[in-house]
Amino acid sequence: NPNKIKVLYQSCHDNFRREYPQEVINHIKEKFQLPNNFILNVGTIETRKNLNAILQAIPIMKNDLPIVVVGRKTKYFNFLKVQMKKLKIDNSRIMFLKNVSIEELPSIYKLADLFIDPSLFEGFGIPIIESLISGTPVITSKDGCFTEAGGKDSIYIDPLNYDEIAHTIDNLLSDTEKQKLMVSKGKEFVKKFDPNILSKELIEIYKSLI
C-alpha cells in the first residue's frame, strides 16, 4: 500500500560540504597528476556501473578530454582492458586513480569539468549528490533512481546509447552557460539532502507513528 510508505533520502559524507583552500585542491591535483581539464567517473569498477559505455563513447567524441576514474577494481576491469585495446584507448585518454581517500575525493570533484555516470542501476546514486554539492555538472542515466538524486537540471542519457553519450558530453563541454546554470541549479536542488533536513524528516516520521 503506497499510503504506508514514506521515502526518506540519504546524504553523502560531510567532507563534501567543507570548503577546501585552493592550495589543498592544487596539492591533490599535483599528487594524482591530474590534467587541467577532465571528465570524472566515480564508483566501483563493476558491470552494473557500465564504464564500458564511456569507453565506447570515447572514439565518437569530438573533444579529447581525458576521463579520470576513481573506484575499486573488480574482475570487470579485465573486460575493460580488452575493450581499451580494441578501441586503441591509451593511458593518456583514461586514468584510473588508486588510493583516493575520502578527504581527497571532494577536491577531485571540484577539479572536474563534468561528472558522467552511465550506470545501469543503483540503489540511489550518492556520487551524483557528491558531484552536485561540489559544483560539477552531472550527466547520468535515464529512469530508475537517477532523477531523484540528480534533479531536473542534470542531463539524462540512455546508458546503452554510445552515440548519445558522446554527443551529450560534447554539447555540454561546448556550452559554458549551460554548465554554469547546471551548477547553480544543482547546488540549489541538492540542499534537500542536507543531513539536518533529513534528520528532521526522520523525527517527523517517528512522531507520526506515536
Side-chain angles (χ1 to χ4, degrees), residues 145-165:
C145 63
F146 303 100
T147 55
E148 294 181 67
K152 65 182 180 67
D153 294 290
S154 292
I155 297 177
Y156 300 95
I157 45 85
D158 177 348
L160 297 176
N161 187 329
Y162 310 139
D163 287 285
E164 183 184 356
I165 293 170

Side-chain angles (χ1 to χ4, degrees), residues 42-43 49 109 115 117 122 125-132 138:
V42 177
K49 296 290 187 179
Y109 273 102
F115 174 80
D117 177 15
E122 293 289 342
I126 289 179
I128 295 172
I129 294 176
E130 294 171 346
S131 187
L132 294 178
V138 170

Side-chain angles (χ1 to χ4, degrees), residues 48-71:
R48 70 182 176 89
K49 296 290 187 179
N50 196 30
L51 184 55
N52 179 55
I54 299 176
L55 297 184
Q56 300 297 330
I58 286 175
I60 307 170
M61 292 181 204
K62 293 178 181 177
N63 82 82
D64 60 355
L65 254 63
I67 314 292
V68 173
V69 180
V70 180

Side-chain angles (χ1 to χ4, degrees), residues 2 5 19 35 70 103 108-110 113 125-126 143 154 162 174:
I5 297 172
E19 288 295 327
V70 180
E103 287 76 25
I108 297 175
Y109 273 102
K110 289 180 183 295
D113 287 58
I126 289 179
D143 304 322
S154 292
Y162 310 139
S174 66

